[in-house]
C-alpha cells in the first residue's frame, strides 16, 4: 500500500474486504463447496469469490416462486463470462463453446455481452469444472471477468481493418495480461493444477486484497467510440501519425451505475488526463489502477469506483499521483474526434485484401429461433471459416478475415440462417438492452425480453412522423446498474419495478453526453405516448440533420448534463 494515507477513507471496512483478505488469494473454500452435493449453490463467501474466477451464482427467477412453493431450493446454477480481450475468438474455439452451450447449459445459448465477450447461462454445479477444463483445452479462460479486478479489456472492433487497429488490439491484450491476477488459484481449483500456495505468492499490482471495486479498461480507435469510453474507469485513446500508433490520450473515471434514491451515486464521464507515449502505456495502466487500489473507498462499496475517488480527492491530485507512480508527465491531449458509435454492418475490405462481415444479433443472444437459426449458422460458418470471429461492444458479431474466394459461401450461409436480414431497420440496429430477467438477480424490470417489441413500437412512431430513415440510440437497462449503457443513449430506459422505467433523454450519438431524467417510473404505454409527442416535434422542428438527443436539448425539453456530480439530479 502507498504510505500517503491522506486520501484513504476511514471507517469499518466493507465485508467484501474481509472475505478477499481471508480468501488465500481467491481460493476460499471453493473446492470444498464443489464436492458438496447437498446444495447446488455456494456458501455466502464463495458466492462472491467465484466471481473473480468469472462466474456468478444465479437461479431462474421465472420459476423461483414455484420452487419455493414446492419447498425446493432455487435451481442454483452459474453464469460464466469468458475473458477475450478485444472480443476475438477463433473458429475452432467457437465450435467448442457452441457444443458446450448445447450440451451443458440450461438455456442452450451463447450470449454476447456489452463488453465484447460471451456468457453461458445456466451451468449446474456438477458441470462447472468440466466447463473450465473444456474452455482451457480450447485456450479460453474466465479469470478476472468479474469481481474487484481489471475486467475484460475492450478494443474498437475490426482491428484487422488497418495496421492501427491491429496495434491497438495488441495493446488491449498486453494491458489485460499486465493487470491480471497472478494467483494460481484458478489453475488449482478448476484445472487440477499443482497446489503451489505458499507465503511467496503475491499480487504485486492488484494487491492481496484486490481492488475496492470492479475496474474497466478500453483501447479505443477514434473516430468510432464503439466501446463507450465514458462507461470505463480507464481508456487509452489511440493517437496516430502517418497511420502508425504513437501513443494514447488517457481518459480516467467513467462509469454509469447509480442506485435509485441515493444521490451520492450517479453516472459520470471520464476525465482527460492527457497524452502519453506508447512505451509508458503499461506503467500508466498500473499507475491508475494502483492509485485507485490505494485511495478507492473500501468502506462503502456504493462509492468505491474510480469515478467517486476522483470526485473525492480531486482530478489533479489523482493525476499527479499517477504521474509519480508511472514516472511520466502527461502531455497536452492530442486532438481527436468521436463521430460514431455503432457497428458497420455488412462487408468491409481490410488493408490486406481480406473481408469482414458484421452481422446484427438482437440482444447478443445466439440461439436457434423458429424463424432464424443463428446458432447453427455461426457453427456452420465456423466449420469453414479461416479467419476469426470478433464480438463487438454492441453485442454484435464480426466474421473477420475472410478471403475473397470464400466471401460468397459465407454470405449465403449467413443469409440462410438469418444472420443477414435486409428487413432489420436502422432503429433496431441502434437499440440495445442488458440481460435482465430471468437470470439477473438484480433485475427490477424486463430489458432483453422487452427490447424487440419496444423497438417495433418506436419504428412505428418514426414511420408515423415520416422519420423511418432515422434512428434513435435506444437502450434499456433492467435496473440502475446500467449494464445496457442506457446512461449514454439518446433515449435511456432504466428499470424501476415490474413494467416501470425511468425515462431519460438527451444523450448524443457519439456517447459523450449523459441523458437526463424526463419522466419517472412510467409504463411502456406512457413511454410511447411521450415519444410520439417528442418524435413529432423533432420531425417538424429539427435543424437540418439534427439528431434526436441534440434536438431535445436545443429545444429546452431537458437541460444538458454537464457535470453529473452536480446537475444529474437537478
Ligand atoms: Fe453488468 C452486475 C450483466 C456490462 C454495471 N451485470 C451485473 C450482473 C453480473 C448481476 C450481478 O451482479 O449479479 C449481471 C448478470 C446478468 C446476467 O444474467 O447475465 C450483469 N453487465 C452484464 C452484461 C452481460 C449485460 C449485457 O447484456 O451484455 C454485461 C457484461 C459485460 C462483460 O462482458 O463484462 C454488463 N455492467 C455492464 C456495464 C456496461 C459496460 O461495462 O460497458 C455496466 C455499466 C458501466 C459501469 O460499470 O459503470 C455494468 N453490472 C454493472 C453493475 C454496477 C456497477 C457499479 O458501479 O455499481 C453491477 C452490479 C454491481 O457490480 O454491484 C453489474
Ligand atoms: Fe441485471 Fe441491472 Fe445489469 Fe440489467 S442493468 S443485467 S438488470 S444488473
Amino acid at each position: 500500500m502507498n504510505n500517503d494515507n491522506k486520501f484513504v477513507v476511514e471507517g469499518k471496512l466493507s465485508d467484501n474486504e474481509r472475505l478477499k483478505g481471508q480468501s488465500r488469494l481467491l481460493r476460499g473454500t471453493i473446492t470444498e463447496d464443489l464436492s458438496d452435493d447437498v446444495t447446488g449453490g455456494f456458501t455466502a463467501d464463495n458466492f462472491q469469490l467465484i466471481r473473480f474466477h468469472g462466474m456468478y451464482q444465479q437461479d431462474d427467477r421465472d420459476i423461483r416462486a414455484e420452487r419455493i412453493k414446492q419447498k425446493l431450493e432455487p435451481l442454483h446454477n452459474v453464469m460464466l463470462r469468458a475473458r477475450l480481450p478485444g472480443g476475438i475468438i477463433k473458429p475452432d474455439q467457437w465450435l467448442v463453446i457452441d457444443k458446450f452451450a448445447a450440451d451443458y447449459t440450461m438455456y442452450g445459448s451463447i450470449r454476447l455481452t456489452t463488453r465484447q465477450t460471451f456468457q453461458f447461462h445456466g451451468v449446474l454445479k456438477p458441470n462447472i469444472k468440466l466447463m473450465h477444463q473444456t474452455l482451457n483445452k480450447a485456450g479460453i479462460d474466465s479469470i478476472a471477468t468479474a469481481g474487484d479486478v481489471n475486467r475484460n479489456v475492450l478494443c474498437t472492433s475490426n482491428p484487422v481493418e488497418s495496421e492501427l487497429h491491429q496495434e491497438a488490439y495488441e495493446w488491449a491484450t498486453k494491458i489485460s495480461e499486465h493487470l491480471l491476477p497472478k494467483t494460481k488459484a484458478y489453475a488449482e481449483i478448476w484445472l487440477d493444477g499443482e497446489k503451489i500456495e505458499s507465503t511467496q505468492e503475491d499480487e504485486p499490482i492488484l494487491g492481496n486484497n484486490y481492488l475496492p471495486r470492479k475496474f474497466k479498461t478500453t483501447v479505443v480507435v477514434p473516430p468510432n467510440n464503439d466501446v463507450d469510453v465514458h462507461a470505463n474507469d480507464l481508456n487509452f485513446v489511440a493517437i496516430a501519425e502517418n497511420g502508425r500508433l504513437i501513443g494514447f490520450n488517457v481518459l480516467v473515471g467513467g462509469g454509469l451505475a447509480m442506485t435509485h434514491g441515493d444521490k451520492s451515486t450517479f453516472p459520470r464521464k471520464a476525465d482527460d488526463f492527457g497524452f502519453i507515449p506508447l512505451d509508458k502505456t503499461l506503467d500508466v495502466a498500473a499507475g491508475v489502477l494502483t492509485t485507485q487500489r490505494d485511495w478507492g473507498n473500501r468502506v462503502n462499496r456504493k462509492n468505491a469506483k474510480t469515478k467517486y475517488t476522483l470526485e473525492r480527492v480531486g482530478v489533479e491530485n489523482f493525476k499527479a499521483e499517477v504521474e509519480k507512480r508511472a514516472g511520466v508527465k502527461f502531455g497536452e491531449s492530442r486532438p481527436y474526434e468521436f463521430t460514431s458509435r455503432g457497428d458497420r454492418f455488412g462487408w468491409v475490405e481490410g488493408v490486406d485484401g481480406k473481408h469482414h462481415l458484421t452481422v446484427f444479433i438482437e440482444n447478443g443472444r445466439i440461439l436457434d429461433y423458429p424463424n432464424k437459426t443463428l446458432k447453427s449458422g455461426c457453427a456452420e460458418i465456423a466449420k469453414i471459416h479461416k479467419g476469426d470471429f470478433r464480438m463487438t461492444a454492441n453485442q454484435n458479431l464480426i466474421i473477420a478475415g475472410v478471403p475473397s474466394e470464400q466471401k460468397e459461401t459465407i454470405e449465403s450461409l449467413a443469409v440462410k440462417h438469418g444472420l443477414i436480414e435486409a428487413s432489420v431497420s436502422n432503429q433496431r440496429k441502434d437499440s440495445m438492452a442488458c440481460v435482465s430477467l430471468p437470470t439477473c438477480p438484480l433485475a427490477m424490470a424486463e430489458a432483453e425480453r422487452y427490447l424487440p417489441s419496444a423497438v417495433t413500437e418506436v419504428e412505428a412512431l418514426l414511420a408515423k412522423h415520416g422519420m423511418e430513415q432515422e434512428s434513435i440510440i435506444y437502450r434499456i437497462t433492467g435496473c440502475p446498474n446500467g449494464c445496457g449503457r442506457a446512461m449514454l443513449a439518446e433515449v435511456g430506459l432504466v428499470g424501476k419495478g415490474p413494467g416501470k422505467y425511468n425515462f431519460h433523454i438527451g444523450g448524443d450519438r457519439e456517447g459523450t453526453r449523459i441523458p437526463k431524467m424526463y419522466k419517472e417510473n412510467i409504463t411502456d404505454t406512457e413511454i410511447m405516448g411521450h415519444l410520439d409527442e417528442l418524435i413529432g416535434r423533432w420531425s417538424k422542428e429539427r435543424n437540418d440533420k439534427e439528431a434526436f438527443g441534440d434536438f431535445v436539448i436545443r429545444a429546452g425539453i431537458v437541460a444538458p448534463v454537464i457535470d453529473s456530480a452536480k446537475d444529474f439530479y437537478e
Side-chain angles (χ1 to χ4, degrees):
M1 285 261 171
N2 185 270
N3 293 330
D4 184 355
N5 282 337
K6 75 179 172 205
F7 291 124
V8 172
V9 177
E10 304 287 343
K12 186 173 176 304
L13 296 180
S14 78
D15 193 49
N16 288 59
E17 294 304 320
R18 172 199 59 77
L19 81 92
K20 285 182 281 185
Q22 291 176 356
S23 75
R24 298 174 298 118
L25 301 184
L26 307 182
R27 289 171 176 85
T29 53
I30 296 174
T31 303
E32 287 81 338
D33 256 9
L34 272 181
S35 51
D36 176 1
D37 52 16
V38 173
T39 166
F42 289 84
T43 63
D45 279 7
N46 293 333
F47 177 95
Q48 296 288 340
L49 278 180
I50 59 170
R51 297 183 172 194
F52 292 77
H53 300 250
M55 289 174 297
Y56 290 83
Q57 180 174 315
Q58 301 187 323
D59 70 289
D60 188 321
R61 292 177 59 182
D62 285 349
I63 57 169
R64 190 187 283 174
E66 185 53 35
R67 286 185 67 93
I68 290 171
K69 222 175 6 175
Q70 293 178 11
K71 303 207 171 356
L72 295 169
E73 78 167 9
L75 186 54
H76 295 305
N77 61 76
V78 301
M79 173 267 274
L80 171 122
R81 184 182 289 159
R83 184 176 70 95
L84 294 178
I88 299 190
I89 180 165
K90 297 274 178 209
D92 55 337
Q93 295 176 318
W94 186 278
L95 291 173
V96 171
I97 68 168
D98 176 78
K99 185 163 167 26
F100 189 88
D103 294 349
Y104 294 105
T105 74
M106 286 162 49
Y107 302 91
S109 67
I110 296 170
R111 175 54 158 77
L112 308 186
T113 76
T114 51
R115 295 193 67 78
Q116 278 186 321
T117 185
F118 70 88
Q119 291 181 175
F120 290 139
H121 285 100
V123 180
L124 298 173
K125 204 176 185 182
N127 297 324
I128 297 178
K129 214 160 168 173
L130 173 73
M131 167 173 68
H132 287 289
Q133 301 194 344
T134 306
L135 290 176
N136 179 258
K137 265 191 223 136
I140 300 173
D141 66 61
S142 63
I143 303 164
T145 53
D148 299 342
V149 285
N150 181 57
R151 304 281 184 97
N152 195 41
V153 178
L154 305 194
C155 180
T156 299
S157 294
N158 255 358
V160 287
E161 218 188 297
S162 72
E163 285 166 26
L164 182 61
H165 281 97
Q166 180 58 30
E167 283 183 87
Y169 164 68
E170 281 162 18
W171 277 107
T173 308
K174 277 188 235 175
I175 295 165
S176 172
E177 300 292 329
H178 192 60
L179 302 181
L180 222 52
K182 304 291 181 267
T183 172
K184 298 288 181 286
Y186 183 89
E188 269 178 38
I189 298 171
W190 310 111
L191 312 177
D192 296 327
E194 193 192 338
K195 300 240 178 313
I196 54 145
E197 185 185 347
S198 76
T199 48
Q200 303 299 311
E201 219 190 357
D202 222 354
E203 292 285 7
I205 296 183
L206 290 163
N208 289 4
N209 251 49
Y210 298 87
L211 303 181
R213 202 66 169 86
K214 55 171 68 168
F215 189 91
K216 298 180 172 178
T217 304
T218 77
V219 179
V220 61
V221 185
N224 191 4
N225 181 23
D226 61 343
V227 298
D228 260 331
V229 291
H230 293 294
N232 291 275
D233 299 67
L234 172 61
N235 304 276
F236 293 93
V237 182
I239 302 296
E241 256 172 32
N242 304 322
R244 294 308 300 261
L245 191 61
I246 57 159
F248 296 105
N249 285 349
V250 179
L251 307 189
V252 181
L256 303 184
M258 56 189 160
T259 303
H260 288 314
D262 179 352
K263 291 188 176 170
S264 78
T265 66
F266 44 84
R268 182 186 192 276
K269 282 174 55 181
D271 290 287
D272 191 341
F273 275 22
F275 175 81
I276 52 150
L278 270 190
D279 63 349
K280 283 291 172 190
T281 307
L282 295 182
D283 293 336
V284 168
V288 173
L289 180 134
T290 61
T291 303
Q292 162 61 6
R293 176 195 70 192
D294 297 345
W295 290 0
N297 188 335
R298 290 182 187 261
V299 173
N300 178 2
R301 284 178 70 78
K302 289 252 174 260
N303 295 129
K305 283 203 77 187
T306 314
K307 61 180 179 177
Y308 301 116
T309 312
L310 282 171
E311 290 291 335
R312 181 168 49 80
V313 311
V315 174
E316 286 312 314
N317 285 326
F318 196 111
K319 181 173 153 184
E321 183 67 17
V322 175
E323 288 182 329
K324 198 163 88 188
R325 293 180 185 216
V328 68
K329 238 6 279 109
F330 286 101
E332 203 174 309
S333 254
R334 303 291 169 95
Y336 71 93
E337 203 187 358
F338 289 133
T339 56
S340 64
R341 211 164 16 149
D343 296 329
R344 259 181 301 171
F345 294 95
W347 289 101
V348 289
E349 189 175 340
V351 278
D352 55 358
K354 296 264 173 62
H355 305 271
H356 317 297
L357 174 65
T358 304
V359 295
F360 171 70
I361 311 283
E362 189 159 46
N363 286 317
R365 185 73 69 175
I366 298 188
L367 191 61
D368 283 349
Y369 301 92
N371 57 343
K372 47 184 176 185
T373 43
L374 303 183
K375 186 159 172 288
S376 300
C378 290
E380 287 306 310
I381 291 172
K383 282 180 196 155
I384 57 160
H385 182 34
K386 307 265 184 295
D388 51 42
F389 291 98
R390 292 165 187 234
M391 298 173 188
T392 81
N394 294 309
Q395 304 170 333
N396 295 311
L397 190 65
I398 303 173
I399 301 152
V402 178
S404 299
E405 60 277 13
Q406 261 201 337
K407 217 178 139 191
E408 224 179 280
T409 320
I410 289 199
E411 179 161 333
S412 60
L413 280 173
V415 170
K416 178 178 158 202
H417 291 280
L419 288 157
I420 298 180
E421 278 185 309
S423 59
V424 177
S425 67
N426 289 337
Q427 181 54 56
R428 205 165 287 278
K429 289 176 183 161
D430 277 340
S431 304
M432 189 159 89
C434 70
V435 175
S436 197
L437 292 161
T439 53
C440 179
L442 308 178
M444 297 175 175
E446 296 283 352
E448 177 173 329
R449 297 193 293 198
Y450 167 44
L451 184 85
S453 65
V455 173
T456 304
E457 292 185 90
V458 178
E459 284 169 343
L461 293 176
L462 289 170
K464 175 178 168 189
H465 296 287
M467 302 286 276
E468 54 271 67
Q469 295 312 317
E470 302 294 329
S471 67
I472 298 170
I473 308 267
Y474 196 85
R475 295 179 175 176
I476 307 174
T477 198
C479 82
N481 286 322
C483 305
R485 294 200 293 266
M487 281 307 99
L488 288 170
E490 292 185 276
V491 171
L493 304 184
V494 181
K496 190 88 197 281
K500 296 280 190 73
Y501 300 85
N502 288 352
F503 178 45
H504 290 246
I505 54 175
D508 60 14
R509 292 191 72 83
E510 300 76 30
T512 60
R513 197 168 56 224
I514 291 169
K516 185 106 174 167
M517 185 157 73
Y518 180 55
K519 300 287 169 193
E520 192 173 358
N521 202 26
I522 60 174
T523 61
D524 172 71
T525 310
E526 290 167 310
I527 292 164
M528 295 306 156
H530 290 297
L531 271 177
D532 190 6
E533 189 195 326
L534 293 171
I535 293 174
R537 281 192 62 184
W538 177 43
S539 70
K540 293 193 194 77
E541 299 170 34
R542 73 194 291 221
N543 287 336
D544 194 21
K545 292 192 167 6
E546 193 173 34
F548 179 83
D550 295 340
F551 165 72
V552 296
I553 300 276
R554 185 183 56 78
I557 297 166
V558 286
V561 174
I562 293 163
D563 177 350
S564 59
K566 299 196 178 78
D567 59 16
F568 182 69
Y569 291 109
E570 265 172 20

